[in-house]
Structures are given as structure tokens and as C-alpha cells.
């Protein structure tokens, strides 16, 4: 799996560990440090992590242009995608949705995420509890989903917490990869850091098994034969 890291503190965290345990081998590109992104996506999955940018702020983060190109290729080739925060916003934008900076009310810390009825048939989100805690840290948000996207989860402050584009690409606004200790590294005006941290610690026994299950489902989908492999198998063509 190609993992694109967009900020110093925004690593794959426990999500990378869960996916590795489930059979995916991580190829982490530190794009924020100037590491070059590949010309083409030749991986079985793409993980786009978060960062303090809007998806098209190329003047602040020049590598985002190439990141969007790879996201577009993944969608065209039906390579499984999981986008987190900035990564989820990028998925929405590349697929034709809209992202707005500094919109609505910011979210920080562990908050209740409501799983919508549409999630009942989703490969990753089906069968989850009606409300699951998840760690948030954002002031930008998706403000319009791409046409045909499936709306999977929401919060009171931010409607588009999780969605699916097509059959193999997911975007989330929250951070399933983050453990409570990481919250102490974030700056969040208007929030009590001790209170935010304590809430996340209290919620972790509930949230961790759920997001680990979602990661395992994504890994299973990514390691199974994809549409291109199935087409080659039927036609007898060689890769």
C-alpha cells in the first residue's frame, strides 16, 4: 500500500500497524519532506493521510498536485483508497465534490460520530454501532459530496464525516489512526487540552475495536483480486 504523509506529525500511526497485520506492506512516502511521489500508482491500495492544507493549496504544499494525480488514477483504476482528513477532502475534490476552508465550527478531540442508515450495505461500515467515538482535528471540511457518493457518517458540527466514492474509495474527516497521546501535540484554540485528552482516553476502549475492524475490512478488500485482475483472469490476458 502506498501511504502518502503530508505533515511531520501526521504519520500512519496505528492504522499502518493494523493494515500491516492484515497483510498489506506499507510504502510510506514522506511527501512533506520533499520525497518524490511515484509517476504511477502500482500498489494494491492508496492511503492518503492528513495535513494542515486544503487539497489544492499547491502554493503551500507543491506535492499536492502529484497526490491528486495519484488519487485520480486510483479512482480510474478502481484501486482501493482510504483518505483521512486532508486525504478524505482530497478524495471528495478529485471526484467532483467541494471542500471549504475555515467553515462551520472546528472539531477537536474524541467526538461521537453517527453512522448513517446508508452504511448498512457498505463494505467497511456495515454493522457498526449507531454511534462510534472518533478523534477529530479540523477546521476545513467537505461541503458538497461528489455526485453518486454514499454518505456514511456525520457529526453535529460536520455533516460529511465519512463517505464512499464508487465501490472502492473511502474518505473520512476523523482520525482513526490517532491515539490519545497524539492529541497533546496539537494546537487547538478554544479547547481545554486536558479535557480533550481525558475524553479521548475514556473513549478509546469503545472506538479502537471498531476502527480496527474497519481497517481489517479495507485490507481484505485491498488484498483480494480487484476489478482489473478479475478482467485479466476472465480474458486470459497477461498483466
Amino acid at each position: 500500500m502506498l501511504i502518502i504523509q503530508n505533515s511531520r506529525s501526521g504519520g500512519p500511526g496505528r492504522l499502518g500497524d493494523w493494515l500491516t497485520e492484515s497483510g498489506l506492506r506499507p510504502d510510506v512516502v514522506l511527501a512533506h519532506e520533499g520525497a518524490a511521489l511515484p509517476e504511477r500508482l502500482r500498489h494494491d491500495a492508496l492511503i492518503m493521510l492528513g495535513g494542515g492544507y486544503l487539497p489544492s493549496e499547491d502554493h503551500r504544499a507543491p506535492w499536492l498536485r502529484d497526490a491528486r494525480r495519484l488519487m485520480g488514477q486510483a479512482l480510474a483504476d478502481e484501486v482501493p483508497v482510504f483518505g483521512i482528513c486532508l486525504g478524505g477532502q482530497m478524495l471528495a475534490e478529485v471526484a467532483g465534490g467541494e471542500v471549504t476552508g475555515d467553515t462551520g465550527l472546528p472539531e477537536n478531540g474524541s467526538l461521537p460520530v453517527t453512522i448513517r442508515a446508508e452504511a448498512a450495505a457498505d463494505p467497511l461500515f456495515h454493522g457498526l454501532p449507531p454511534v462510534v467515538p472518533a478523534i477529530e482535528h479540523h477546521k476545513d471540511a467537505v461541503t458538497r459530496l461528489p455526485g453518486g457518493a454514499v454518505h456514511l457518517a456525520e457529526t453535529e458540527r460536520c455533516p460529511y464525516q465519512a463517505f464512499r466514492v464508487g465501490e472502492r474509495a473511502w474518505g473520512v474527516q476523523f482520525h482513526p489512526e490517532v491515539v490519545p497521546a497524539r492529541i497533546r501535540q496539537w494546537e487547538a484554540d478554544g479547547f481545554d487540552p486536558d479535557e480533550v485528552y481525558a475524553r479521548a482516553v475514556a473513549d478509546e476502549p469503545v472506538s479502537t475495536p471498531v476502527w480496527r475492524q474497519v481497517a481489517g475490512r479495507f485490507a481484505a478488500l485491498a488484498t483480494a483480486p480487484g476489478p482489473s485482475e478479475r478482467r485479466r483472469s476472465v480474458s486470459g490476458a497477461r498483466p
Side-chain angles (χ1 to χ4, degrees):
M1 57 181 169
L2 177 63
I3 302 178
I4 298 179
Q5 184 169 332
N6 297 293
S7 70
R8 179 183 56 80
S9 63
R14 63 184 183 178
L15 179 65
D17 296 334
W18 293 339
L19 293 172
T20 300
E21 291 168 5
S22 297
L24 287 169
R25 181 167 54 85
D27 178 8
V28 182
V29 176
L30 304 181
H32 65 291
E33 293 186 356
L37 297 180
E39 286 297 317
R40 282 197 59 79
L41 182 64
R42 303 187 185 280
H43 299 70
D44 296 312
L46 172 64
I47 313 294
M48 189 71 67
L49 297 174
Y53 312 100
L54 290 167
S56 295
E57 284 194 301
D58 300 347
H59 62 289
R60 296 180 60 205
W63 68 87
L64 291 176
R65 182 180 292 104
D66 285 335
R68 294 194 304 275
R69 171 178 53 78
L70 291 172
M71 181 76 75
Q73 184 203 329
L75 288 175
D77 293 349
E78 299 182 74
V79 175
V81 171
F82 199 89
I84 295 172
C85 199
L86 165 62
Q89 295 168 8
M90 184 182 295
L91 172 62
E93 188 172 285
V94 168
E98 185 176 280
V99 178
T100 305
D102 246 345
T103 187
L105 297 171
E107 293 183 306
N108 280 285
S110 184
L111 300 173
V113 173
T114 299
I115 307 300
R116 291 169 56 90
E118 294 92 325
D122 184 76
L124 302 193
F125 283 74
H126 70 273
L128 300 189
V131 179
V132 184
I135 291 178
E136 307 271 0
H137 183 57
H138 72 99
K139 58 181 181 178
D140 308 327
V142 175
T143 47
R144 180 172 56 82
L145 289 179
V150 180
H151 188 187
L152 301 171
E154 61 192 356
T155 61
E156 183 178 349
R157 289 189 170 193
C158 181
Y160 301 125
Q161 284 290 334
F163 60 94
R164 188 183 79 246
V165 174
E167 298 302 320
R168 296 166 71 83
W170 287 264
V172 299
Q173 184 59 69
F174 52 87
H175 288 272
E177 83 283 13
V178 166
V179 296
R182 175 111 154 262
I183 291 175
R184 292 197 177 277
Q185 303 172 15
W186 289 342
E187 295 181 7
D189 295 336
F191 294 86
D192 182 321
D194 292 331
E195 180 181 337
V196 169
Y197 172 74
R199 173 71 178 271
V201 170
D203 284 346
E204 189 174 16
V206 177
S207 61
T208 296
V210 173
W211 303 130
R212 183 170 194 154
Q213 181 181 39
V214 169
R217 290 172 174 176
F218 180 81
L221 182 139
T223 54
S228 59
E229 288 84 355
R230 289 196 294 270
R231 285 193 291 269
R232 286 197 296 266
S233 175
V234 170
S235 66
R238 293 183 178 275

